[in-house]
Amino acid sequence: MQERLGIVGGGAIACGLAAVAAKDGDVVLWARSEESADRSRKSLDKICGRQEVDPSKVRVTTDLSDLSGVTAVIEAIAEDLDAKSALLPRIAEAAPDDALLGSTTSSLSVSALASAAGAPERFVGLHVFNPVPRMALVELAFPDEATQETRERAHALCAALGKTAVDVPDTPGFVVNKLLFPYLFSAVRFLEESGLEPEAIDTCMKLGAGHPMGPLALLDYVGLDVAKAIGESIGEQIPRTIEEKVAAGQLGKKTGAGFYAA
C-alpha cells in the first residue's frame, strides 16, 4: 500500500478498516478515550485473528498528534454531522498538509464535511460497508473542489484494500442506502400491518428473493439507531416500531435486543 493510513474512530467500521489495511502495512488508529482504546484493541484482536493479520500492526492511540506520520486519514466515528464537523478540523491540523482526508459517512453531505475539514480539495467520502473485511464495495463521493490527484489516490487506496470503488453522487444515502433503506423500512411497516413474526418475513426474503440476510435481521445488524439516522438523512419516514425500540434502547445486535433477541 502506498499510503500510510490513519483511522479515527473505535467502532466496528474503524476496526474493520484498520484490520484490512494492516494486511499490507502499519496503521494508526485513534480512539477518543482510554476506555474506547481498550475496546478497540479487543475488537482488533478478534477481527485480525479471523483475517490472519498481526494486530500489533495497528497502533491504537488517544493522541491525535500521532497522525503526523500518516499520508491518509479516514474518519470513522458515529454518523453525526455535528460530531464529525467538530473533529475533522482537528484531524486536518494533526495530519500532514498533503494528507488525503476522508470520512466513512454513509449518508451525510460530503461537501459539508469537506468544508468543515477546511481542505475540500483533498477530501473524499469513502463509504465502506460492515463487516469491512467481507464487503467488497466502497462508494466514493467527492466534493466539487476535490483535485484529480485526490480522486486517483482515493481509488488507489481502495484497490490496495482489495475493494471495488464506485464513484457516486454526493446525495443523501449515496446509492446503496438511498435504495436500501426504503425497502428495509417497508419490511418494518409490513411487520406492523401483518402481525407476522420477524423470522417469517426474513425467511421469505431470503428464500424467495435470494437475499443473504432478511431485512429485519439486517436492521438489527446495522443498528436501529443508525438506521433511524440514515432514514432521517435521506428523508424517509421512520417506522413507528423503530422509533419505539430506539427510545427503549433496543438498538439491535449491539444491545442484545431489537427485532430479535441475542
Side-chain angles (χ1 to χ4, degrees), residues 4-8 27-30 67 70-75:
R4 297 189 303 278
L5 189 60
I7 298 169
V8 173
V27 180
V28 176
L29 185 145
W30 178 87
L67 297 174
V70 304
T71 64
V73 186
I74 306 299
E75 167 274 309

Side-chain angles (χ1 to χ4, degrees), residues 71-214:
T71 64
V73 186
I74 306 299
E75 167 274 309
I77 67 169
E79 189 73 346
D80 181 282
L81 180 60
D82 291 339
K84 288 179 184 290
S85 296
L87 185 56
L88 282 166
R90 296 175 58 200
I91 295 171
E93 182 179 1
D97 291 341
D98 59 351
L100 180 70
L101 302 175
S103 171
T104 61
T105 181
S106 59
S107 60
L108 300 175
S109 166
V110 172
S111 292
L113 296 176
S115 178
E121 72 282 355
R122 53 191 174 100
F123 197 90
V124 58
L126 192 142
H127 179 209
V128 296
F129 293 80
N130 195 30
V132 182
R134 292 174 53 191
M135 301 296 282
L137 176 66
V138 178
E139 291 181 314
L140 292 181
F142 297 92
D144 291 341
E145 300 90 340
T147 65
Q148 183 61 31
E149 180 186 3
T150 294
R151 297 168 189 271
E152 291 173 357
R153 287 176 67 184
H155 275 272
L157 175 60
C158 291
L161 294 171
K163 305 299 183 185
T164 298
V166 177
D167 284 14
V168 298
D170 182 16
T171 57
F174 308 132
V175 174
V176 173
N177 284 345
K178 191 172 186 65
L179 300 181
L180 175 63
F181 276 83
Y183 154 68
L184 298 181
F185 290 165
S186 72
V188 179
R189 295 189 185 96
F190 187 69
L191 177 78
E192 295 169 348
E193 295 165 1
S194 67
L196 285 171
E197 293 296 322
E199 294 91 341
I201 293 174
D202 283 349
T203 297
C204 286
M205 294 311 296
K206 286 191 293 182
L207 301 185
H211 293 186
M213 183 180 290

